[in-house]
Amino acid sequence: MNVVLLGPPGAGKGTQAVRLAAHFGLAHVATGDLFRQNLREGTPLGLEARRYMDQGLLVPDSVTVAMVEARIDQPDAQAGFVLDGFPRNLAQAEALDRMLAGRHRRLDRVLALVVDREALIRRLTGRWICPSCQATYHVEFNPPRIPGVCDRCGTGLVQRADDSLETVTKRLAVYEEETAPLVAFYRHREILTEVDGMGAVNDVTARLVGVLGG
Ligand code: AMP
């Protein structure tokens, strides 16, 4: 099963993609995570991506598509994947079609998380992440047991550089302009299901699992 999780920044794609991947035994492929990993490792790809990420802009398609293509060829993605943060524009969606067709694979379902704008801003600006194991927290909705410390690995939490109010506003505008048209694109293909992304994390997961028939 190959699934895309679509939705604006802050919709909960990362949180839910991890859960869906575990539930169905799929690989979690998150382009933002891959860029951040490259950034931490100081690779040329990471340094290139940073120029765009810091401004809330999309990394060029050629770079992003090549990275996804290499990732879905990894052994753990052969049984299927949950794509999180990709595709983010029409050119990427078409590139995804081409890369899947070339591998005799197809996209089974696109789940679009629907969350209102105010909630998105509250979620993103209150988000803290563990720089070591990538666990995510929220000051209000999902605080760590000890303030500022990761429950899982004990590392000090940090905020993402692009979760400042200014960059969040830019990322939301980029979403509306470039990514939102994909909702109509996949609806037309009759593989889109819109899912209410408001409310408790567990409730949203249950809705998504239900759509995928699990
Ligand atoms: P995310 O973790 O999904 O919020 O992504 C963080 C940042 O990584 C985005 O604001 C973009 O700069 C970059 N990025 C992630 N996925 C993509 C993509 N599919 N295409 C272009 N840029 C991306």
Side-chain angles (χ1 to χ4, degrees), residues 42-199:
T43 69
L45 175 75
L47 296 176
E48 163 84 359
R50 173 178 222 159
R51 296 173 27 210
Y52 301 92
M53 295 171 79
D54 281 354
Q55 297 175 68
L57 300 173
L58 297 186
V59 178
D61 292 339
S62 56
V63 176
T64 309
V65 168
M67 182 178 76
V68 171
E69 193 153 23
R71 180 65 187 88
I72 65 164
D73 283 338
Q74 296 293 306
D76 68 319
Q78 299 317 303
F81 52 73
V82 182
L83 271 177
D84 154 13
F86 182 93
R88 254 178 158 96
N89 59 29
L90 275 171
Q92 292 183 6
E94 285 163 359
L96 177 62
D97 284 341
R98 280 194 299 275
M99 79 175 82
L100 291 177
R103 289 163 174 77
H104 307 290
R105 298 173 74 170
R106 68 188 168 103
L107 199 53
D108 296 293
R109 181 106 331 238
V110 176
L111 300 165
L113 285 169
V114 181
V115 173
D116 68 56
R117 183 185 167 87
E118 249 174 67
L120 296 173
I121 293 176
R122 224 171 33 243
R123 287 180 181 186
L124 291 167
T125 54
R127 172 161 75 176
W128 287 76
I129 59 166
C130 174
S132 176
C133 75
Q134 314 310 315
T136 62
Y137 300 88
H138 189 280
V139 281
E140 259 179 273
F141 311 128
N142 177 30
R145 282 193 297 273
I146 304 168
V149 179
C150 181
D151 290 351
R152 267 206 250 161
C153 71
T155 306
L157 303 178
V158 296
Q159 282 201 288
R160 267 173 54 170
D162 58 352
D163 279 345
S164 66
L165 182 57
E166 189 193 350
T167 312
V168 161
T169 306
K170 180 68 192 168
R171 287 162 64 204
L172 290 172
V174 168
Y175 173 82
E176 285 306 327
E177 175 96 355
E178 303 204 37
T179 313
L182 294 182
V183 171
F185 176 82
Y186 287 122
R187 183 181 292 128
H188 184 72
R189 293 252 297 263
E190 299 185 353
I191 53 171
L192 180 91
T193 308
E194 289 188 287
V195 176
D196 179 9
M198 298 290 289

Side-chain angles (χ1 to χ4, degrees), residues 8-41:
K13 295 187 299 295
T15 302
Q16 298 298 340
V18 167
R19 290 161 162 245
L20 288 180
H23 185 94
F24 292 103
L26 306 170
H28 174 210
V29 177
T31 42
D33 288 353
L34 292 170
F35 285 134
R36 281 184 291 277
Q37 185 187 340
N38 273 279
L39 197 54
R40 280 195 304 278
E41 292 168 358

